[in-house]
Amino acid sequence: MKNAVSSALRNSLRLRLLAGTLFWIAASIIAAGWGLSSLFQRHVEVQFHAELKTYLDQLTAQLTLDSKGQPTLALPLSDPRLSRPYSGCYWQIDEINDAAPVSSGLLRSRSLWDHVLAVPPDTPADGEIHQHRIAGPEGKMLGMGERSVRIDDIPDGKPRSFRLIVAADESLMSEPVARFSDALWVALGVLGMGLVVAALVQVFVGLAPLRKLHAALGKVRSGETPRLNGDFPAEIMPLVEELNTVLAQNAEVVERARTQAGNLAHALKTPLSVLANAADAASKPASREHEALARLVLEQVSTARRQVDYHLARAQAAATSRIPGARTPLQPVIDGLLRTMRHIHAERQLDLTCRRFSEAMVFRGEAQDLQEMLGNLLDNACKWASQQVRVDAERKGNELCIIIDDDGVGLAAAQRDAVIRRGIRADEQVPGSGLGLAIVEDLARLYGGRLELMDSPLGGLRSALTLPATN
């Protein structure tokens, strides 16, 4: 049973909120009830003893000696309960004599009738008030206050001391406290029930946006809408926006996969067609060029393999482009690519130059993708350059702008958009698949960058690659 409750609390946000709220409501009600009851009881006790002190002050003020030297009251006390037998309010006067025992009950209120209050044997200082609990008439417990009074102006000149006692039934305290406590707990119970209802309403109303969000997600899953729509509270909107971002990214991944499938099919179509035609020609009895056929098959298969490898690598790049924390310094990648280009195009003796970059020039992405993009741009520049290729870069805020210039024949403005598209080549006489610039453009867009082609100050083509930089 305990495990079932614990599991339900872990798995239900509603139950957790309700359990926490009900716990604090119960704790608050109990604490408030105990605190208010204690506070009222203390107040009643203070009032009880204050009333006893009032009676004691009246008794002190009215105490006098008659002509025979006997204590008497000049005026009766004001409370009529002091005249009604066993009413619960009493007073008594005892004489204190150092040479003789205490004369108890020398003067008493009519409410005591024939009962004499038995007071603990203590001697308060003159004017000091002592409080005790004593047994009274009918076995009831009384709260008592006493004071010692000394009278000096006596005809015989001998001072006399009296102990003045007032007492009241403790039920005068306990009964109001009990009635108050009963009413208090009833009121707190009603308040607690109201708070429980309010908590239930709050939880169900407060969690209503989550039910609405669940319904919106159901519409997305069923294909009724591509994103989450509706009005949500400000606390839920960040979650809705993040979910919409994830949905958009997933849609982008699906579209990218479709594009990659088309790219792969387009890339394999031509070499496979050539293979089919060559194989068909070689199968005829009039043609026996097996050696040429073998070379052609190897060449086209190699081309097809490169295309497959590229698209597989690009799919991997698409997956890694959003990985946080990836960083690649620019200088080592460019230095390595320039060494490679000098080796590949050694017979042309091109002048490949690049200035030194600061340590702040760092690409926010994978080194393999940066090499793929810059390698294609440099190779394209070297193929078309007459003598010189120049590489430069600058940082603009959170972006890197890498510029590659060549002094070749350049490219007309009308052709620049066309050569970036998949499989388009500016010159069929120059070797290549026509995919280089398209590869660069696709990878740059994966990272939120762009590729721009423009006229170069050297007279040829300028390739400007903009990519995100690390902070």
Side-chain angles (χ1 to χ4, degrees), residues 179-203:
R179 290 194 299 269
F180 174 81
S181 296
D182 292 341
L184 175 64
W185 286 114
V186 170
L188 290 178
V190 173
L191 175 62
M193 293 301 297
L195 292 175
V196 169
V197 174
L200 291 171
V201 173
Q202 182 180 17
V203 168

Side-chain angles (χ1 to χ4, degrees), residues 18 22-23 50 60 71 76 99 101 230 251 283 305 344 378-379 428 462 466:
L18 282 176
L22 295 179
F23 171 80
T60 303
S283 65
R305 183 180 293 113
I344 294 175
L378 281 172
D379 186 53
E428 298 293 334
R462 165 173 284 188
T466 302

